[in-house]
């Protein structure tokens, strides 16, 4: 009440002073300022002033647009925007007669705390408004030493920028690039590149040393955002880590989680943190790392409600030493409510044993977690690196080829291969020296007339005694006795290979790591006024923050992925070896399908390719989504670029592309192998942007949000093995024959590792309430161009047509790979355009705009 009285009195004083000065006879612009309400933040009305830059009149002294007098926020009222609590303030600007239309604004925060500014809308005439779509933190000027600059939501190519805004545009980009020196502070908006030199922790000893990725021929890698943290005194190359759990690595403010999402993410992550940071939590399992004694016990212990007290004694003391107080409270709450109960994963929800079938094993290569690896076999037998020929013989497979010879089946494009041989073999000896039992694998499958895949043979390989030699074993399908059990063990070792590739390559490297350099280059080289910036911005939401968290607790030395995945400490090093052959152009879905022999060129198809067989859920749904994205992007680019010359002459877009290729992905700058398209035409620009948006949205959705559905039952997607397949005549084989199930459960990860892995993928598989899906925008006022908004609406309509086609396919019983024996309908590429955040958690559907988890 006292604050309202003071605000009214202040307005009256300002009103009378303006009358005396003659200001209120001048043009007046009124508007609304919307600020997110966040706990612990200051009231910006007391300390915030805003000035406007003219779009039509230039200040001769500064070269910038004419700057208005400061105006203060008035009469804050509690409001809600899209369900989020906000405060809406009024504001009034008194302008000079010839000020013209505002095109930018400077926000000055004279307070002590930052605030999150959502938007500013100014009514410049009866039927026209100017909107600033901010969604940005405004830090105190005592920290930043500069006002926070925002541009209105009108798009301009560099050559079309009004003269009054040109210098502002250039200066803002220069500020965002920084000078490449010093440790970044929380309030700084600086985007710069660095190598992955923050994974190791040599201060803990040589067991925590890891190679620096990026910048060398030995370890090529995409770049990450620079933080500038001090280097380790041990090697003067690795960035230091201040705490065991680092959740505060520098991320530029505008690329951090919102307070709402951060709170939800922390809450969802508590189970994973409990299992990871406290070795004493192993006492949950009666004081030791024990195996599951049966499949029934596994299902009961993991998915049935039960309570055990674990927050006692040394466990609680270690929690207090490692985690912030807010985390401690959340841990206690979650553990008291239900510490170790997981939802039943879809793969066993209908039939507990369907995952063991050969048909489901093959189907998941087309519609599971890692559906973009299987390829058509070009020659038989398979040949690996160095010309080494597989030990799989024609006699192994011809009985299952429906009367075809091996050569004829290859010619008919009916033999497929899941190949995890070469890239694992070069690391395999070192991997197994860590105490795990891993093979490199090749799996051959036959495309039957009903378009399901029948496994033909599995080759499991180990390094031989001689240089370059191999020890190979071939396993064939069997349905009875010990042969059936051995075949199941062989499929499990294949699943282990595929799980590692999925998490480290298909998921982390090909989406998370690959996208971050594009984000940095976009912030550094494209003005917020640039139409391509506005196109790409929603597809970068939260990616840098989730990547920072991943480097902090998942990918780091001794982190969760090293603990749970078979490569162990060689995980990221192995992904570096695979990045050596990464090509951006081939991330485009049509080119990927052509490269893998899954499709052929067909100019008559909207995507330009035709699938060799239709019941490939990832590919057929993916092509529909690809075409919708491509149509939207092509129309958008053609609207702003009338011809190829306008692309080639756009200094910002050319600088952006140059920096992506030579710095962000600088280790792949050599274009002799066709990694990059030249950005010299509207068509190439459209193809490049479509590929980038596909990676950030649909590709990530396809490899991320089905994790709990399939890997939530550990036997279906184990992450490492503790035993090899026993050789006949050995004591281990006799042990296996006595109890194959027991041997199996002793081969796959122990209970603690299993539970840790489940906790992780449950977090990764869930959507948050703040999710913004493909075809949606966080704000309807992201642009003031009605034509662009109409094109975007058409994009949403196209995606809704895709949803309808997916529903029809899932209802077609003739398409056996859509659900398979496990009865898990393929919905990972269902756009879910109607989801406005209410349907969150593990849903197995929906394509978020960005790599946001």
């Amino acid at each position: 009440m006292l604050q309202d009285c003071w605000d009214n009195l202040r307005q009256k004083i300002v009103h009378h002073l303006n009358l005396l000065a003659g200001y209120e006879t001048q043009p007046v612009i009124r508007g609304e300022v919307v600020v997110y309400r966040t706990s612990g933040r200051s009231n910006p009305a007391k300390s915030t002033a805003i000035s406007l830059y003219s779009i039509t009149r230039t200040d001769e002294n500064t070269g910038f647009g004419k700057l208005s007098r400061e105006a203060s926020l008035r009469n804050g009222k509690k409001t809600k925007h899209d369900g989020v609590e906000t405060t809406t303030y009024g504001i009034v600007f008194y302008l000079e007669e010839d000020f013209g239309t505002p095109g930018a604004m400077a926000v000055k925060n004279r307070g002590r705390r930052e605030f999150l500014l959502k938007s500013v809308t100014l009514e410049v005439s009866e039927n026209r408004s100017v909107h600033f779509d901010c969604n940005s933190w405004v830090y105190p000027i005592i920290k930043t030493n500069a006002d926070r600059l925002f541009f209105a939501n009108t798009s301009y190519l560099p050559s079309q920028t009004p003269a009054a805004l040109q210098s502002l545009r250039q200066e803002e980009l220069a500020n965002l690039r920084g000078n490449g020196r010093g440790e970044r502070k929380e309030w700084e908006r600086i985007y710069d590149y660095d190598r992955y030199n923050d994974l190791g922790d040599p201060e803990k000893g040589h067991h925590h040393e890891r190679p620096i990725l990026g910048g060398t021929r030995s370890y090529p890698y995409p770049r990450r955002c620079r933080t500038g943290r001090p280097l380790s005194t041990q090697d003067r190359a690795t960035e230091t880590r201040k705490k065991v759990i680092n959740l505060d690595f520098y991320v530029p403010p505008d690329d951090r989680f919102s307070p709402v999402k951060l709170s939800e993410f922390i809450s969802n992550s508590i189970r994973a943190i409990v299992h990871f940071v406290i070795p004493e939590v192993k006492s949950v399992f009666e004081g030791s790392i024990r195996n599951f004694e049966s499949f029934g016990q596994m299902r009961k212990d993991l998915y049935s409600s039960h309570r055990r007290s674990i927050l006692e004694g040394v466990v609680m003391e270690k929690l207090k030493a490692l985690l912030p107080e807010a985390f401690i409270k959340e841990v206690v709450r979650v553990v008291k409510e239900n510490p170790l109960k997981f939802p039943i994963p879809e793969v066993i929800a209908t039939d507990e044993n369907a995952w063991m079938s050969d048909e489901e094993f093959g189907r998941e290569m087309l519609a599971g977690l890692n559906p973009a690896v299987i390829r058509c076999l070009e020659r038989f037998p398979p040949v690996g690196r160095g010309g080494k020929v597989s030990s799989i013989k024609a006699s192994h497979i011809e009985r299952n080829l429906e009367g075809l010879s091996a050569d004829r089946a290859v010619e008919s494009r009916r033999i497929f291969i899941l190949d995890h041989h070469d890239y694992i073999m070069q690391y395999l000896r070192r991997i197994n020296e860590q105490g795990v039992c891993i093979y490199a694998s090749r799996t051959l499958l036959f495309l039957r007339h009903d378009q399901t895949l029948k496994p033909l043979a599995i080759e499991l390989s180990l390094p031989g005694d001689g240089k370059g030699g191999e020890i190979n074993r071939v396993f064939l399908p069997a349905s009875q006795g010990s042969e059936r059990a051995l075949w199941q063990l062989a499929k499990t070792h294949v699943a282990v290979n595929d799980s590692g590739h999925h998490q480290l390559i298909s998921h982390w490297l090909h989406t998370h790591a690959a996208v971050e350099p594009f984000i940095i280059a976009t912030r550094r080289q494209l003005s917020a006024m640039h139409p391509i910036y506005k196109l790409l911005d929603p597809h970068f939401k939260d990616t840098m923050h989730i990547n920072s968290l991943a480097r902090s607790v998942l990918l780091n030395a001794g982190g969760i992925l090293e603990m749970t995945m078979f490569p162990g400490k060689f995980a990221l090093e192995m992904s570096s070896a695979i990045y050596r052959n990464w090509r951006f152009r081939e991330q485009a879905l049509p080119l990927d399908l052509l490269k893998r022999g899954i499709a052929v060129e067909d100019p008559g198809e909207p995507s330009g390719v035709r699938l060799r067989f239709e019941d490939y859920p990832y590919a057929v749904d993916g092509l529909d989504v690809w075409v919708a994205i491509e149509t939207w992007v092509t129309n958008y680019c053609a609207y702003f670029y009338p011809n190829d010359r306008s692309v080639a002459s756009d200094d910002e877009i050319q600088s952006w592309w140059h920096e992506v290729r030579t710095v962000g992905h600088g280790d792949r700058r050599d274009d002799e192998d066709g990694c990059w398209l030249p950005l010299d035409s509207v068509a190439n620009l459209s193809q490049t942007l479509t590929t980038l948006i596909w990676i950030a949205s649909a590709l990530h959705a396809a490899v991320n949000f089905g994790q709990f559905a399939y890997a939530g039952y550990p036997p279906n997607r184990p992450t490492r093995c503790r035993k090899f397949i026993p050789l006949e005549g050995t004591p281990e084989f006799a042990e296996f024959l006595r109890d194959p199930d027991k041997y199996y459960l002793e081969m796959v990860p122990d209970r603690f590792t299993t539970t840790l892995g489940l906790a992780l993928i449950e977090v990764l598989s869930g959507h948050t309430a703040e999710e913004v899906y493909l075809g949606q925008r966080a704000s309807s006022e992201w642009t003031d161009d009605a034509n662009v908004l109409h094109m975007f609406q058409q994009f949403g309509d196209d995606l809704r047509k895709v949803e309808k086609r997916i529903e029809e396919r899932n209802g077609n019983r003739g398409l056996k790979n859509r659900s398979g024996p496990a009865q898990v309908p393929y919905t990972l590429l269902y756009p879910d355009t109607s989801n406005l955040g209410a349907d969150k958690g593990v849903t197995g559907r929906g394509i978020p705009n960005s790599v946001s988890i």
Side-chain angles (χ1 to χ4, degrees):
M1 180 65 73
L2 290 175
Q3 182 63 47
D4 291 341
C5 292
W6 164 243
D7 287 342
N8 290 331
L9 178 61
R10 184 174 62 176
Q11 289 179 48
K12 290 179 180 179
I13 294 172
V14 170
H15 172 71
H16 286 294
L17 289 174
N18 285 331
L19 284 175
L20 291 173
Y23 293 159
E24 293 205 358
T25 63
Q26 300 171 353
V28 177
I29 290 181
R30 303 180 186 275
E32 286 187 344
V33 179
V34 182
V35 176
Y36 289 104
R37 274 186 277 158
T38 53
S39 60
R41 310 293 181 180
S42 58
N43 179 1
K46 300 178 181 179
S47 55
T48 301
I50 300 178
S51 302
L52 302 178
Y53 284 100
S54 171
I55 201 173
T56 54
R57 185 179 173 191
T58 303
D59 187 313
E60 296 179 357
N61 296 320
T62 65
F64 299 154
K66 184 69 176 179
L67 191 64
S68 75
R69 296 179 179 86
E70 290 183 350
S72 301
L73 309 187
R74 305 179 173 188
N75 300 332
K77 297 179 181 179
K78 291 184 178 181
T79 50
K80 277 193 174 184
H81 288 77
D82 299 323
V84 180
E85 293 184 341
T86 54
T87 301
T88 299
Y89 300 92
I91 194 166
V92 179
F93 294 92
Y94 299 97
L95 306 175
E96 297 181 13
E97 286 286 349
D98 58 350
F99 184 85
T101 302
M105 68 177 183
V107 182
K108 189 188 303 291
N109 178 1
R110 295 190 176 95
R112 296 184 178 181
R113 300 293 302 274
E114 69 274 16
F115 62 88
L116 186 54
L117 179 61
K118 183 184 187 300
S119 63
V120 176
T121 304
L122 305 176
E123 302 299 330
V124 297
S125 65
E126 288 186 6
N127 57 2
R128 188 185 173 205
S129 62
V130 173
H131 184 78
F132 297 82
D133 198 26
C134 305
N135 291 301
S136 180
W137 289 101
V138 180
Y139 277 82
I141 195 167
I142 58 172
K143 293 182 177 180
T144 63
N145 295 317
D147 295 346
R148 178 70 171 87
L149 181 68
F150 296 95
F151 295 105
N153 63 347
T154 303
S155 297
Y156 299 103
L157 292 175
S159 62
Q160 300 168 342
T161 308
L165 298 182
Q166 286 179 357
S167 295
L168 281 173
R169 180 173 185 147
Q170 295 166 8
E171 182 179 87
E172 175 73 354
L173 285 174
N175 291 336
L176 289 167
R177 294 176 195 134
N179 59 18
R181 299 193 296 270
E183 182 175 3
R184 297 276 69 84
K185 305 296 189 296
E186 173 193 356
W187 55 85
E188 293 178 328
R189 295 172 57 244
I190 294 178
Y191 295 82
D192 203 356
Y193 301 93
D194 209 341
R195 301 172 298 163
Y196 276 69
N197 67 338
D198 60 345
L199 302 174
D201 194 353
E203 307 286 336
K204 290 185 175 181
H206 73 276
H207 290 297
H208 283 76
E209 295 175 355
R210 296 293 181 271
I212 293 169
L213 305 183
T216 66
R217 290 188 175 183
S218 300
Y219 300 110
Y221 220 62
R223 300 299 189 267
R224 64 172 177 91
C225 186
R226 180 183 179 276
T227 67
R229 297 196 307 275
L231 300 179
S232 167
T233 58
Q234 299 298 310
D235 64 3
R236 302 304 303 167
T238 304
E239 283 191 346
T240 54
R241 290 171 170 263
K242 298 177 182 179
K243 296 176 285 186
V244 175
I245 297 295
N246 287 270
L247 298 181
D248 57 354
F249 286 174
Y250 171 78
V251 177
D254 293 349
D255 281 283
R256 294 181 200 146
F257 291 174
S258 73
V260 172
K261 177 166 181 176
L262 183 59
S263 174
E264 186 175 350
F265 178 81
I266 289 173
S267 178
N268 293 341
S269 302
I270 291 303
R271 185 182 287 107
I273 292 173
V274 168
H275 285 84
F276 174 55
V277 302
I278 315 168
E280 287 81 1
V281 160
K282 295 173 186 176
S283 65
V284 172
F285 300 126
E286 302 176 10
S288 64
I289 306 177
R290 293 172 51 236
N291 304 316
F292 291 103
E293 296 178 359
S294 68
F295 291 106
Q297 183 197 46
M298 177 186 291
R299 289 190 289 267
K300 177 182 177 182
D301 287 359
L302 293 178
Y303 312 115
S304 299
S305 179
H306 59 287
R307 301 170 186 273
R308 302 184 187 195
S309 176
I310 63 174
L311 297 181
E312 299 175 353
V314 67
V315 175
M316 179 56 78
E317 293 303 315
K318 181 159 281 192
L319 266 176
K320 291 179 178 178
L322 292 174
L323 301 177
E325 183 179 353
F327 266 55
I328 298 291
K329 292 179 180 178
E330 190 67 13
V331 168
V332 172
R333 182 187 69 78
V334 170
V335 169
K336 283 183 177 180
E337 288 181 359
N338 201 343
L340 297 176
K341 179 185 177 182
F342 296 100
I344 297 175
E346 284 185 90
V347 76
I348 61 168
T350 302
D351 184 337
E352 292 180 348
N353 297 313
W355 65 275
M356 301 177 71
S357 70
D358 286 357
E359 185 178 334
E360 181 65 23
F361 177 69
R363 187 196 78 92
E364 290 185 20
M365 299 179 197
L366 304 173
L369 292 185
N370 205 24
V373 180
I374 190 170
R375 59 182 175 84
C376 197
L377 187 66
E378 296 179 351
R379 58 183 295 188
F380 183 86
V383 178
R385 184 180 286 114
K388 293 178 183 175
V389 180
S390 167
S391 59
I392 300 176
K393 309 296 183 185
S395 59
H396 289 136
I397 65 173
E398 287 187 336
R399 61 175 179 163
N400 288 314
L401 297 181
E402 297 181 354
L404 298 176
S405 68
D407 289 339
R408 182 62 184 139
V410 169
E411 290 173 8
S412 302
R413 302 287 185 173
R414 295 183 65 183
I415 297 184
F416 292 79
I417 183 170
L418 184 70
D419 195 343
H420 294 301
H421 181 273
D422 287 357
Y423 75 92
I424 291 179
M425 184 58 73
Q426 62 181 319
Y427 282 92
L428 193 49
R429 194 182 302 276
R430 286 176 287 170
I431 287 173
N432 284 337
E433 286 173 353
Q434 299 176 109
V436 294
C437 299
I438 305 299
Y439 297 98
S441 68
R442 290 187 180 104
T443 305
L444 297 188
L445 306 101
F446 180 68
L447 181 66
R448 300 195 290 194
H449 288 297
D450 64 0
Q451 299 195 10
T452 60
L453 289 176
K454 177 180 177 59
L456 297 172
I458 291 172
E459 179 188 57
L460 300 179
S461 304
L462 291 171
D465 294 333
K467 184 177 181 181
E470 294 183 6
I471 301 171
N472 300 317
R473 298 176 67 184
V474 176
F475 296 85
L476 304 178
S479 58
Q480 294 181 347
S482 59
E483 289 80 6
R484 177 180 180 273
L486 285 171
W487 173 244
Q488 195 64 41
L489 296 185
K491 289 195 296 181
T492 298
H493 276 278
V494 171
V496 168
N497 284 181
D498 202 55
S499 292
H501 184 282
H502 160 258
Q503 202 65 271
L504 298 169
I505 310 305
S506 300
H507 186 196
W508 165 255
L509 176 64
H510 287 172
T511 63
H512 286 261
V515 168
E516 184 158 347
F518 286 91
I519 302 174
I520 301 171
T522 300
R523 306 298 192 218
R524 287 167 53 88
Q525 299 297 343
L526 298 184
S527 166
M529 289 188 285
H530 200 292
I532 302 306
Y533 182 101
K534 294 183 184 297
L535 173 72
L536 292 177
D537 186 51
H539 302 290
F540 297 155
K541 180 179 182 290
D542 296 337
T543 301
M544 290 179 67
H545 199 162
I546 196 64
N547 285 2
S548 174
L549 292 171
R551 296 195 309 274
S552 173
V553 298
L554 299 182
L555 305 170
N556 58 304
I560 294 178
L561 285 186
E562 286 196 0
M563 292 178 65
T564 58
M565 307 306 294
F566 77 83
K569 72 177 190 177
F570 299 104
L572 269 290
E573 183 179 337
M574 193 166 74
S575 73
S576 167
I578 292 177
Y579 176 68
R580 190 184 309 276
N581 297 312
W582 177 86
R583 296 177 181 87
F584 176 74
R585 288 182 64 187
E586 292 175 354
Q587 307 311 300
L589 180 59
L591 288 182
D592 169 60
L593 295 170
L594 290 172
K595 179 185 177 183
R596 293 190 285 121
I598 305 292
V600 295
E601 293 185 7
D602 186 343
E605 291 291 328
S607 64
V609 301
R610 174 172 46 82
L611 294 173
R612 292 187 184 276
F613 65 103
E614 288 300 317
D615 197 5
Y616 185 174
Y618 163 75
V620 70
D621 292 1
L623 286 174
D624 278 353
V625 174
W626 169 273
V627 169
I629 296 172
E630 185 178 44
T631 301
W632 151 240
V633 172
T634 299
N635 291 338
Y636 186 92
C637 289
Y639 181 74
F640 287 99
Y641 293 97
N643 50 52
D644 295 343
R645 193 184 317 110
S646 60
V647 174
S649 63
D650 184 339
D651 292 339
E652 286 186 12
I653 204 71
Q654 294 301 327
S655 296
W656 171 77
W657 192 229
H658 180 267
E659 190 167 285
V660 166
R661 293 181 293 109
T662 63
V663 184
H665 280 286
D667 296 339
R668 296 293 294 118
R669 66 164 60 90
D670 187 355
D671 200 29
E672 291 181 2
D673 58 358
C675 184
W676 310 98
L677 280 172
L679 219 57
D680 56 3
S681 66
V682 180
N684 282 0
L685 175 62
S686 299
Q687 176 77 0
T688 295
L689 298 175
T690 299
T691 301
L692 177 56
I693 292 171
W694 161 263
I695 294 170
S697 58
L699 180 59
H700 179 258
V703 299
N704 184 75
F705 293 106
Q707 290 189 77
F708 197 83
Y710 290 104
Y713 186 57
N716 189 50
R717 300 284 298 181
T719 57
R720 63 201 319 181
C721 280
R722 295 176 290 160
K723 286 186 175 185
F724 293 114
I725 298 179
L727 293 169
E728 193 169 352
T730 62
E732 290 80 8
F733 193 80
E735 176 190 346
F736 159 73
L737 289 177
R738 282 194 297 272
D739 193 339
D741 283 358
K742 180 181 179 183
Y743 190 94
Y744 180 97
L745 292 169
E746 290 175 350
M747 183 181 78
V748 296
D750 57 68
R751 297 181 62 154
F752 174 68
T753 305
T754 294
T755 308
L756 172 60
L758 284 185
L760 171 64
I761 63 172
E762 185 183 16
V763 173
L764 296 181
S765 298
H767 294 288
T768 63
E770 271 198 346
E771 206 81 270
V772 183
Y773 295 89
L774 198 62
Q776 299 176 353
R777 289 274 177 152
S779 167
S780 60
E781 296 180 287
W782 61 278
T783 179
D784 64 351
D785 194 313
N787 292 322
V788 170
L789 291 173
H790 177 74
M791 286 187 282
F792 188 68
Q793 182 180 2
Q794 182 61 53
F795 178 42
D797 292 342
D798 289 346
L799 290 172
R800 280 181 279 279
K801 293 175 183 175
V802 172
E803 292 173 349
K804 185 176 181 180
R805 288 196 291 271
I806 290 175
E807 291 169 355
E808 291 172 351
R809 290 179 191 128
N810 283 343
N812 184 346
R813 294 188 178 183
L815 298 174
K816 294 188 176 182
N817 295 323
R818 298 300 305 191
S819 296
Q823 292 299 298
V824 183
Y826 190 73
T827 55
L828 294 176
L829 288 175
Y830 185 90
D832 214 8
T833 54
S834 62
N835 190 345
L836 300 178
D839 191 9
K840 63 178 183 177
V842 181
T843 66
R845 61 193 285 163
I847 303 175
N849 274 321
S850 62
V851 181
S852 58
I853 188 66

